[in-house]
Amino acid sequence: MVAIKIGMLHYVLDHVYGAFMHRTKLSTPFFSRGWGGTKLDLLERMIRQIFPVVEGQNWPPRLIQPVWKTVWETKSACLKEGVFRTPCDEQLINALPPESHIARVAFLAPKFVPPHKMACVVHLAGTGDHSFERRLRLGGPLLKENIATMVLESPFYGQRRPFLQSGSKLLCVSDLLLLGRATIEEARSLLHWLDSEAGFGKMGVCGLSMGGVHAAMVGSLHPTPIATFPFLSPHSAVVAFCEGVLKHATAWEALRDDLSVHNAGMTLDEVRERMRNVLSLTDVTRFPIPKNPDAVILVAATDDGYIPKHSVLEVQRAWPGSEVRWVTGGHVSSFILHNGEFRRAIRDGLNRLQWKESPL
């Protein structure tokens, strides 16, 4: 009985937090400028094109050459920040806001350890995570186990946020698909750089919430085996924007008005169905099974007010061999309290990969 009451408290906390953050009139809702017009059509086509024609034959990542500067270093570790032009193709670059054309990344690594004896995990941003700090705090304690941390600043976030965008509230639905598509390209290129240029022995990708969805996509589409860690993540953005707390933060009337230019008299239910159809492109269960599904570890919360249990289990069913671990709490409390469990999953997943052969 006590456990049930505590679980309900976590669930209610998620909804209270969501109501404060998203249902008040203090901030702009998501998608206040509509669907995105021709950009949305472009993104729908391009996302359908990312699935390999032949199973297992994913398109190769593009090579990048980050320019690094040292932020600080100690006797045992070094933090660098790097910049590189997004490796997206010209169509995607033209669709991105100019502020998002240059990617930023933080790189925290042990010193005096040969790269082929180290692992590195690329950490992707959750909704509202505009800085490097929280993800560096998550990865920092893993340095002593020779696990480096690379943190990507998402398009539309931090210094890459468009001038007219308020906080994390994307202006158009197309921006959500564009953010995801660009993040996949950039993360895959960073993993390729870690492998081919830096010579790391193992790689992985992780993310919380929205970042976990993107991590699952990257793990699915990367051409070589990597460890994949979706934390507190749904199987699709449909769950967040059509079923979860964020549905209260979505500008449904603006989306209806945008559609009404061509379809007068649309109901809000029809608008929500259109949103479901568009966001079904983010359904991770439609993506290929990763090269090493045994190294996929999902961590989910027992009383998550944002992510229902069935959504997490759909990924596990779609990717046989993957593992789900449960932590006690809600979305918000687990985000704060269970970093130790996230780190344990990272260690365990990397241990399920083979080391690359050391260079001669």
Side-chain angles (χ1 to χ4, degrees):
M1 181 64 71
V2 173
I4 293 173
K5 287 183 178 178
I6 293 174
M8 182 58 68
L9 182 63
H10 287 305
Y11 186 83
V12 170
L13 174 63
D14 282 348
H15 283 268
V16 170
Y17 177 82
F20 175 75
M21 292 297 293
H22 303 304
R23 298 181 75 168
T24 63
K25 300 300 182 183
L26 300 178
S27 65
T28 306
F30 283 96
F31 316 134
S32 59
R33 296 202 170 192
W35 298 89
T38 56
K39 281 188 182 180
L40 181 61
D41 299 333
L42 169 68
L43 266 297
E44 287 185 283
R45 287 198 307 274
M46 294 194 77
I47 288 174
R48 290 190 177 97
Q49 290 168 2
I50 68 177
F51 299 108
V53 176
V54 179
E55 185 176 350
Q57 292 186 4
N58 298 328
W59 83 102
R62 297 186 180 191
L63 185 62
I64 54 171
Q65 293 293 345
V67 177
W68 299 102
K69 67 174 183 179
T70 299
V71 178
W72 57 253
E73 58 183 318
T74 65
K75 291 180 179 179
S76 60
C78 179
L79 176 66
K80 296 180 180 180
E81 290 186 4
V83 294
F84 59 94
R85 179 174 165 82
T86 182
C88 298
D89 64 27
E90 286 304 312
Q91 278 189 307
L92 276 177
I93 289 175
N94 292 336
L96 279 168
E99 297 91 339
S100 292
H101 288 185
I102 301 299
R104 295 178 63 242
V105 64
F107 188 23
L108 179 62
K111 293 170 68 175
F112 310 121
V113 180
H116 68 274
K117 293 185 177 180
M118 283 194 289
C120 186
V121 176
V122 177
H123 293 238
L124 305 181
T127 302
D129 190 356
H130 286 262
S131 72
F132 296 140
E133 279 40 312
R134 189 204 61 74
R135 286 172 282 164
L136 287 173
R137 287 197 301 272
L138 175 60
L142 295 169
L143 285 173
K144 63 182 181 292
E145 299 177 60
N146 292 336
I147 299 173
T149 292
M150 183 171 273
V151 180
L152 175 65
E153 181 179 73
S154 285
F156 296 90
Y157 274 32
Q159 294 185 23
R160 306 178 72 186
R161 177 166 59 91
F163 176 71
L164 295 175
Q165 180 181 303
S166 173
S168 307
K169 302 299 177 62
L170 302 173
L171 295 172
C172 300
V173 175
S174 60
D175 292 346
L176 183 65
L177 299 183
L178 189 52
L179 185 161
R181 183 70 164 84
T183 296
I184 291 170
E185 292 280 0
E186 292 168 4
R188 292 173 78 248
S189 288
L190 286 170
L191 289 162
H192 183 49
W193 182 86
L194 287 165
D195 183 9
S196 62
E197 297 293 309
F200 274 75
K202 296 181 181 182
M203 279 77 64
V205 60
C206 78
L208 279 86
S209 198
M210 175 186 75
V213 177
H214 295 151
M217 294 174 177
V218 172
S220 162
L221 295 171
H222 201 64
T224 60
I226 61 172
T228 305
F229 309 106
F231 298 149
L232 308 177
S233 302
H235 73 287
S236 164
V238 170
V239 175
F241 287 97
C242 299
E243 300 172 16
V245 172
L246 293 183
K247 70 182 179 185
H248 303 297
T250 298
W252 295 110
E253 287 79 9
L255 293 169
R256 178 176 61 184
D257 292 345
D258 194 12
L259 287 176
S260 293
V261 173
H262 303 290
N263 300 280
M266 288 195 77
T267 67
L268 286 178
D269 284 342
E270 290 173 319
V271 175
R272 292 188 178 98
E273 187 58 31
R274 166 67 171 143
M275 180 71 89
R276 282 181 171 275
N277 289 337
V278 171
L279 296 187
S280 68
L281 293 169
T282 68
D283 186 342
V284 171
T285 66
R286 298 174 57 188
F287 281 63
I289 298 173
K291 297 288 187 296
N292 191 341
D294 292 347
V296 178
I297 301 178
L298 302 95
V299 179
T302 54
D303 300 285
D304 196 319
Y306 287 71
I307 314 300
K309 290 180 180 179
H310 76 80
S311 183
V312 179
L313 295 173
E314 285 191 38
V315 181
Q316 186 187 35
R317 280 195 294 270
W319 292 354
S322 61
E323 179 186 354
V324 176
R325 298 181 179 180
W326 298 95
V327 294
T328 301
H331 197 78
V332 176
S333 62
S334 297
F335 199 88
I336 298 167
L337 299 176
H338 289 301
N339 282 337
E341 292 301 321
F342 301 144
R343 293 186 195 107
R344 185 173 294 111
I346 288 171
R347 285 193 297 266
D348 292 347
L350 289 170
N351 283 337
R352 296 172 186 178
L353 293 177
Q354 297 293 317
W355 287 100
K356 282 196 321 181
E357 292 185 13
S358 63
L360 296 177

